[in-house]
């Protein structure tokens, strides 16, 4: 089987893959980064979103063999160099932006992609951008608050639903 | 998913050679193909990735036309077409969700011709030219019904050339679970007349609404189509909407597109 090399969270990774090996399988089963969650495995829930060359990608819907040489960031790569939580992660904790936590890795990575593109998104822009990430606990209100806080905005002033 | 052999050529010529094997299929962004393979609706023996072919990437202006490499992701079109052709950029920015837009490509969407996909409406609504490895196909000849196109076996779309309209817009009534169009209408105004293409509605896939085109060509105003309607017969009917509802949406979304373009 061919060996596929990527840079994952800044470190070189390599693993032998089949054609059908998904990026999510590569990350979780082959290099042991289980922070990326596979929710639906049908491209609908967004729990498995990681960054590939800075772009949000559903890791269950990309083949590892197609990503030779890619730079991948997973939730494990989100902490600060000293191991403390990043601003986004801390905001999710502070504002209780998770209930069961299963969707959280995807939420955090999509938030990272959003804030890289749009550092001060409005509430509407946040809700629109996160539409591909499903929280089955329906904890969206606090997730949006967390993203507002992570972008340095007032998290208390959400529009009434 | 059944296993397959994965190949990743770096030129169109090598991709076409790899596709000459009858068991091979092209893989672009994979946002439709990979879920289909997981569901075992599709089981190619060889997948030919198009993501490493530089000549199939990018957005470029050529006089009055915008050329888009077939393997260009939706997110890139949404960003790079915005100053040249905002109607098309707006459509690309409404496809799926951000992660789908980062991988899914224009060529994949057009080649698949899903009856509810967005891009076929832009291609047909502008009279775009579908450029393949061996010929150029007018959009009017390309789309031949649900999931059916003029492409031959092993033929590869390399780029799509859009004549840039004076005004245009895409109005999409979102099916919020799939993020496809329950009904979407692309309206484009040219000196030669107005084109109106509808996706998501017909059992035959994307189509032009000739009556609305005639009315809007003489008066580019949403009120010009207020009294028009399309027959419900032949419209898609499913748990998301009846054929009558979709026929109604065709007019409503045409009016919204005209207002957005005006």
């Amino acid at each position: 089987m061919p060996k596929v090399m990527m840079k994952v969270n800044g470190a070189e990774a390599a693993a032998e893959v089949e054609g059908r090996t998904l990026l999510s399988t590569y990350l979780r089963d082959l290099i042991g980064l289980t922070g990326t969650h596979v929710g639906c495995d049908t491209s609908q829930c967004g729990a498995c979103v990681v960054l590939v060359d800075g772009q949000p990608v559903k890791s269950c819907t990309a083949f590892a063999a197609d990503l030779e040489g890619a730079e991948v960031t997973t939730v494990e790569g989100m902490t600060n160099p000293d191991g403390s939580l990043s601003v986004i992660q801390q905001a999710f904790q502070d504002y209780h932006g998770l209930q069961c936590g299963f969707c959280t890795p995807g939420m955090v990575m999509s938030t990272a992609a959003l804030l890289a593109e749009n550092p001060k998104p409005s509430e509407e822009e946040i809700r629109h951008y996160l539409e591909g990430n499903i929280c089955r606990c329906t904890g969206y209100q606090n997730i949006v608050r967390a993203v507002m806080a992570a972008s340095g905005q007032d998290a208390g002033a959400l529009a009434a639903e | 998913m059944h296993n397959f052999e994965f190949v990743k050529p770096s030129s169109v010529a090598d991709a076409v050679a790899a596709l000459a094997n009858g068991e091979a299929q092209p893989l672009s962004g994979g946002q439709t193909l990979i879920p289909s393979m997981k569901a075992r609706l599709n089981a190619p023996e060889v997948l030919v990735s198009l993501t490493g072919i530089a000549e199939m990437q990018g957005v470029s202006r050529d006089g009055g036309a915008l050329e888009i490499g077939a393997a260009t992701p939706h997110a890139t079109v949404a960003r790079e077409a915005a100053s040249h052709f905002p109607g098309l950029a707006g459509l690309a920015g409404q496809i799926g969700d951000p992660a789908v837009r980062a991988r899914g490509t224009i060529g994949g969407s057009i080649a698949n011709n899903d009856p509810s996909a967005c891009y076929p409406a832009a291609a047909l609504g502008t009279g775009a030219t579908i450029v393949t490895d061996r010929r150029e196909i007018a959009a009017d000849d390309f789309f031949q019904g649900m999931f059916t196109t003029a492409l031959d076996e092993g033929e590869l779309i390399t780029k799509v050339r859009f004549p840039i309209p004076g005004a245009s817009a895409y109005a999409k009534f979102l099916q919020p679970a799939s993020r496809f169009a329950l009904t979407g209408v692309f309206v484009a105004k040219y000196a030669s007349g107005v084109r109106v293409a509808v996706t998501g509605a017909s059992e035959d896939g994307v189509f032009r609404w000739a009556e609305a085109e005639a009315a809007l060509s003489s008066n580019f105003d949403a009120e010009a189509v207020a009294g028009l309607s399309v027959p419900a017969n032949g419209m898609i009917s499913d748990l998301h909407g009846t054929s009558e509802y979709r026929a109604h949406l065709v007019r409503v979304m045409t009016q919204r597109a005209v207002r957005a373009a005006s």
Side-chain angles (χ1 to χ4, degrees):
Chain A
M1 290 192 294
K3 187 171 266 192
V4 167
M5 302 183 70
M6 299 180 203
K7 187 175 266 190
V8 181
N9 301 329
E12 297 295 341
E16 289 183 351
V17 302
E18 294 184 305
R20 64 182 167 184
T21 302
L22 299 165
L23 176 59
S24 51
T25 308
Y26 182 94
L27 294 170
R28 289 178 52 85
D29 299 350
L30 301 184
I31 67 169
L33 294 178
T34 55
T36 298
H37 289 173
V38 177
C40 67
D41 207 16
T42 56
S43 320
Q44 308 193 40
C45 78
C48 69
V49 166
V50 300
L51 302 186
V52 175
D53 297 326
Q55 297 293 307
V57 167
K58 296 179 192 188
S59 61
C60 82
T61 313
F63 292 120
D66 214 6
L67 297 170
E68 170 74 40
E71 291 200 12
V72 177
T73 307
T74 69
V75 72
E76 289 95 338
M78 288 299 291
T79 50
N80 296 321
D82 67 359
S84 60
L85 296 180
S86 63
V87 169
I88 293 171
Q89 291 169 306
Q90 190 63 52
F92 270 73
Q93 185 179 82
D94 292 346
Y95 289 87
H96 197 53
L98 64 159
Q99 291 181 36
C100 82
F102 201 87
C103 71
T104 311
M107 290 287 181
V108 167
M109 301 318 294
S110 285
T111 300
L114 166 63
L115 299 187
E117 191 179 297
N118 182 357
K120 293 256 188 265
S122 67
E123 179 187 342
E124 189 185 352
E125 287 170 335
I126 294 167
R127 291 185 187 278
H128 183 64
Y129 196 91
L130 294 180
E131 64 200 5
N133 293 82
I134 293 174
C135 167
R136 255 331 33 140
C137 307
T138 70
Y140 296 104
Q141 201 75 348
N142 284 351
I143 289 168
V144 175
R145 278 200 180 94
V147 180
M148 295 289 281
S151 52
Q153 304 184 86
D154 180 3
L158 295 194
E161 289 285 297
Chain B
M1 165 177 9
H2 293 290
N3 202 15
F4 53 87
E5 183 191 342
F6 181 85
V7 294
K8 191 166 181 176
S10 55
S11 72
V12 170
D14 287 351
V16 170
L19 286 167
N21 169 353
E23 304 304 320
Q25 289 184 30
L27 169 72
S28 198
Q31 301 302 288
T32 297
L33 181 55
I34 296 174
S36 304
M37 289 170 63
K38 287 182 181 180
R40 298 195 172 180
L41 298 169
N42 201 330
E45 290 189 8
V46 180
L47 269 191
V48 181
S49 170
L50 307 178
T51 63
I53 302 175
E55 61 194 296
M56 288 178 68
Q57 292 285 342
V59 175
S60 62
R61 179 78 179 253
D62 181 16
L66 200 64
E67 292 193 339
I68 301 180
T72 309
H74 311 320
T76 303
V77 176
R79 196 171 55 242
E80 295 184 11
S83 60
H84 303 284
F85 187 172
L88 184 69
L91 175 146
Q94 291 180 57
I95 298 172
D97 57 48
V100 167
R101 294 195 287 275
R103 294 289 296 170
T105 68
I106 183 170
S109 172
I110 285 176
N112 193 45
N113 192 20
D114 186 295
S116 298
C118 298
Y119 264 126
L124 190 63
T126 56
T129 302
I130 318 300
V131 182
T132 77
D133 61 286
R134 59 200 73 169
R135 58 181 169 153
E136 300 198 346
I137 309 171
D140 282 315
D141 301 323
F142 183 85
F143 299 104
Q144 301 186 347
M146 204 177 269
F147 297 112
T148 308
T149 69
L151 289 174
D152 290 332
E153 201 67 32
E155 185 173 15
L156 197 59
I157 302 176
T158 56
K159 63 182 172 185
V160 183
R161 187 185 307 124
F162 293 91
I164 299 174
S168 66
Y170 178 61
K172 175 179 181 177
F173 195 96
L174 187 71
Q175 201 284 78
S178 72
R179 314 210 69 77
F180 277 82
L182 192 61
T183 290
V185 177
F186 195 91
V187 169
K189 184 184 182 197
Y190 294 93
S192 56
V194 174
R195 291 177 70 109
V196 178
V198 181
T199 189
S202 170
E203 290 175 341
D204 291 328
V206 67
F207 70 96
R208 286 174 68 187
W209 187 14
E211 218 180 345
E213 290 183 352
L216 291 166
S217 293
S218 51
N219 177 19
F220 194 67
D221 186 298
E223 288 308 305
V225 296
L228 303 183
S229 62
V230 294
N233 190 23
M235 293 290 149
I236 297 169
S237 188
D238 58 21
L239 78 168
H240 307 296
T242 62
S243 50
E244 290 77 13
Y245 184 59
R246 279 188 169 81
H248 174 72
L249 280 179
V250 170
R251 178 185 49 77
V252 171
M253 301 318 286
T254 299
Q255 291 186 294
R256 289 187 190 175
V258 171
R259 286 192 196 101
S262 299

